[in-house]
Amino acid sequence: MPADTLTALPQTGRVELETHRERSLTGRASLNVLQSLLDYSVKLGVGLVIVPILVTGLGRTLYGVWEMLGRLVGYIESADGRSTQALRLVISNQQSSDDESAKRRWVGSALMVWVCFLPLWVAAGGLLIWLTPTVTKVPPELHTTVRVACALMMVAVLVAGLATLPEAVLRGTNLGYKRMGLQAGVSLVGGVLLAGAIYVGSGLVGVAGAGIVIAALTGVCFLVVVRRQVPWFGTERASRAEVGSLLGMSIWITLGDVVSKLLASDVLVLGMVLSASTVTTYVLTGYATRLALNLHSLSAEAVMPGVAGVIGEKHFERAALLRREMLAITGVFVIGVGATILLWNRSFVHLWVGPENYAGTWTNLLLVLVAVQSAFIRCDAYLIDAALQPQRRVRVGIAAGIVTLLLSIGLTHWAGMVGLCLAILAGRATQTIGYPLLVRNCLAQSPGLSMTWLVQPLLVMGLLFAGAAYGSQHLLVDHWLSWVLAVAVTFLSAIGLAVVFGLPAALRSAIRARIVEIVNRQEGR
């Protein structure tokens, strides 16, 4: 509804309309989160089965090389211009617009930007393929294998770049939940392909080739869903100004993506400074924290289209309150997950891939703290992007990326995995401080942005983490059933303590009301 029409409504009508919008926002956000949880749960299950197969089939060294290749190719992924990410943000911000032709022109602009970046992607990819053996430090007899695997992974990235265009439209229109189950099916198929590649003995090359099939299948699924759910989906010839506008945003998002990759260079630094087998130990120890962080990111991203719509309508106070709720839920989540991982990750690695792949208590603790820091950083990063201000985030991110990389190289030489984790925490402190300041500017200095309430949950987190880290040195279970029961009891207990003692009463009431609204909405379906 146009803004002038809303203004013309009687006071009662405006209140009813705002209430309806709030319920619609909550309903779609809950469905998007449910979809993300379902798909990621399946992906998690597939990973738990496939990773031991990969470690056994490839060996500790080649598995470490595989992880390094994934990070290297991730850098080149940014060279496609990230136009689909810019498209998602624009569509989210303009959800209330009825100009369907303009939206199709934005889709056309995204395709044009992708084409513009294609030569850069090819050049960067060729250079990476040539340098890969040097970076991964493999022996000469594996140079060709590693280069072919890298080339296949590059093709998979190219296919995935096009596949994300319909996904961007679906998520931008706040209909991401409409793909529920499809991505889970693709994850299952992908797991079968990876296991099959190991079974037939195709090794690293076969595993890389499976990624192309997975990317193509994902694109087809998204295209089918978006054609059914978004009537206006299609492309129209965009003007030079529209392409230029999206190109400018894409450049900033690309720079931000490169910064994110720099901040996630831990595996590459570890492999180059120490060895590929050390990467395997580090990755397997951090597997649980990485899964938890990804789960949080998916959930936070799922609610962002609705928040972007609120910001697009310039309801900044409401957006500030939504941010506070999101940070509160994030705090409860990281306390529950972090305490559980600290207490039982040693047993998990012992049962899953063997005790020789556990990096120790200090590394485990620091990896959990890195995940906690990243979760809060990402909340504000998503909100800054939702306000269509990625350039502000990128400037802070560049400083954080450079500091983190320099510290990582130096401290990894000095203290190995522990030094690497300390470098990440110190380098990202720039974002921890800078992003909340940027959010205040994006939301017009709204009074609801105060963060003093966070002291309480952080104190609770510190006490629980210290106790869990100490307890992990004396607790080791030898059976999966015992581990599952222990994890469930620990997680629920930590969540309960976080809610009761970590959140102020007003926030507890707000979150409880939000949960009741979601439950009532689902029961009414």
Side-chain angles (χ1 to χ4, degrees):
M1 179 177 290
D4 55 349
T5 305
L6 178 61
T7 305
L9 287 174
Q11 180 66 28
T12 303
R14 289 201 300 272
V15 171
E16 290 177 351
L17 179 59
E18 289 299 325
T19 302
H20 173 74
R21 284 182 174 180
E22 181 73 22
R23 290 175 178 171
S24 176
L25 174 62
T26 301
R28 288 192 175 189
S30 62
L31 287 172
N32 285 335
V33 171
L34 180 62
Q35 176 269 323
S36 296
L37 291 176
L38 171 64
D39 289 343
Y40 196 69
S41 296
V42 173
K43 186 176 181 180
L44 170 61
V46 170
L48 290 174
V49 174
I50 293 300
V51 168
I53 294 174
L54 292 175
V55 173
T56 303
L58 296 176
R60 282 174 52 83
T61 299
L62 270 187
Y63 180 78
V65 170
W66 166 252
E67 288 286 346
M68 293 179 71
L69 285 178
R71 303 300 174 94
L72 287 170
V73 172
Y75 285 114
I76 306 303
E77 189 178 13
S78 306
D80 69 355
R82 318 314 283 159
S83 60
T84 55
Q85 289 191 29
L87 174 65
R88 173 176 57 83
L89 294 174
V90 171
I91 296 297
S92 296
N93 194 265
Q94 298 183 3
Q95 287 179 70
S96 59
S97 172
D98 295 324
D99 191 345
E100 296 182 350
S101 177
K103 293 177 181 179
R104 284 191 291 270
R105 291 198 301 274
W106 284 120
V107 176
S109 298
L111 283 173
M112 287 297 298
V113 171
W114 184 83
V115 171
C116 289
F117 274 87
L118 194 56
L120 174 62
W121 182 90
V122 172
L127 180 62
L128 175 63
I129 291 169
W130 179 255
L131 293 176
T132 293
T134 303
V135 176
T136 56
K137 302 194 324 188
V138 295
E141 61 269 19
L142 289 176
H143 283 192
T144 301
T145 298
V146 169
R147 284 191 175 120
V148 172
C150 184
L152 291 173
M153 293 173 74
M154 291 294 301
V155 174
V157 166
L158 184 64
V159 174
L162 281 177
T164 54
L165 190 141
E167 179 193 11
V169 172
L170 197 68
R171 292 174 59 193
T173 52
N174 211 5
L175 294 173
Y177 62 90
K178 295 293 185 180
R179 59 182 174 167
M180 192 175 296
L182 281 177
Q183 210 160 15
V186 172
S187 295
L188 289 172
V189 173
V192 172
L193 290 172
L194 292 173
I198 295 296
Y199 179 77
V200 300
S202 57
L204 196 62
V205 172
V207 170
I212 300 174
V213 179
I214 296 170
L217 185 59
T218 302
V220 171
C221 289
F222 278 129
L223 186 60
V224 171
V225 174
V226 79
R227 284 191 176 277
R228 290 178 179 175
Q229 301 297 335
V230 183
W232 59 261
F233 178 73
T235 62
E236 288 187 13
R237 184 182 180 86
S239 67
R240 184 184 297 270
E242 288 169 327
V243 174
S245 175
L246 198 74
L247 176 62
M249 187 181 300
S250 296
I251 290 172
W252 281 109
I253 292 175
T254 298
L255 290 174
D257 205 46
V258 171
V259 168
S260 298
K261 300 299 191 300
L262 283 175
L263 291 167
S265 296
D266 49 352
V267 166
L268 292 177
V269 171
L270 202 60
M272 294 175 70
V273 173
L274 299 179
S275 66
S277 59
T278 306
V279 169
T280 298
T281 302
Y282 177 81
V283 168
L284 294 177
T285 301
Y287 190 82
T289 55
R290 190 167 64 253
L291 289 177
L293 182 60
N294 289 341
L295 180 61
H296 169 268
S297 297
L298 287 171
S299 301
E301 281 188 305
V303 304
M304 271 304 145
V307 177
V310 172
I311 296 173
E313 295 173 354
K314 302 196 182 303
H315 295 164
F316 296 131
E317 182 62 30
R318 184 179 167 207
L321 294 176
L322 290 173
R323 172 183 180 261
R324 177 174 290 193
E325 288 183 20
M326 186 167 65
L327 290 178
I329 293 171
T330 296
V332 171
F333 175 80
V334 297
I335 289 173
V337 169
T340 304
I341 291 174
L342 283 171
L343 193 56
W344 299 114
N345 193 40
R346 178 183 170 214
S347 297
F348 169 68
V349 175
H350 170 78
L351 291 168
W352 185 41
V353 288
E356 69 276 8
N357 291 301
Y358 183 64
T361 302
W362 278 108
T363 300
N364 190 36
L365 172 61
L366 290 170
L367 284 170
V368 169
L369 293 178
V370 167
V372 170
Q373 183 187 45
S374 298
F376 284 107
I377 287 173
R378 290 184 184 184
C379 285
D380 280 343
Y382 295 149
L383 196 144
I384 294 167
D385 285 351
L388 301 184
Q389 298 292 333
Q391 66 275 17
R392 297 184 177 184
R393 171 180 63 83
V394 171
R395 292 187 186 106
V396 175
I398 289 173
I402 294 172
V403 173
T404 300
L405 186 59
L406 293 176
L407 287 175
S408 295
I409 295 171
L411 293 182
T412 302
H413 273 290
W414 171 63
M417 287 182 275
V418 170
L420 176 63
C421 293
L422 290 173
I424 295 171
L425 287 169
R428 291 183 181 177
T430 307
Q431 294 169 298
T432 302
I433 297 170
Y435 281 5
L437 298 177
L438 297 181
V439 169
R440 294 187 70 85
N441 290 329
C442 290
L443 299 185
Q445 305 291 329
S446 176
L449 293 171
S450 172
M451 297 180 66
T452 54
W453 61 272
L454 268 174
V455 174
Q456 187 174 333
L458 290 177
L459 287 175
V460 172
M461 182 183 73
L463 292 173
L464 287 177
F465 280 14
Y470 177 78
S472 68
Q473 301 175 63
H474 305 282
L475 296 172
L476 184 67
V477 296
D478 294 318
H479 303 285
W480 278 113
L481 181 58
S482 300
W483 180 84
V484 170
L485 292 174
V487 165
V489 171
T490 304
F491 177 72
L492 293 175
S493 300
I495 288 290
L497 291 172
V499 171
V500 174
F501 297 105
L503 293 183
L507 266 176
R508 285 201 303 269
S509 299
I511 293 174
R512 187 184 303 115
R514 184 75 64 182
I515 293 172
V516 169
E517 181 182 344
I518 292 172
V519 171
N520 291 339
R521 187 177 183 88
Q522 297 307 315
E523 289 178 348
R525 285 183 176 273

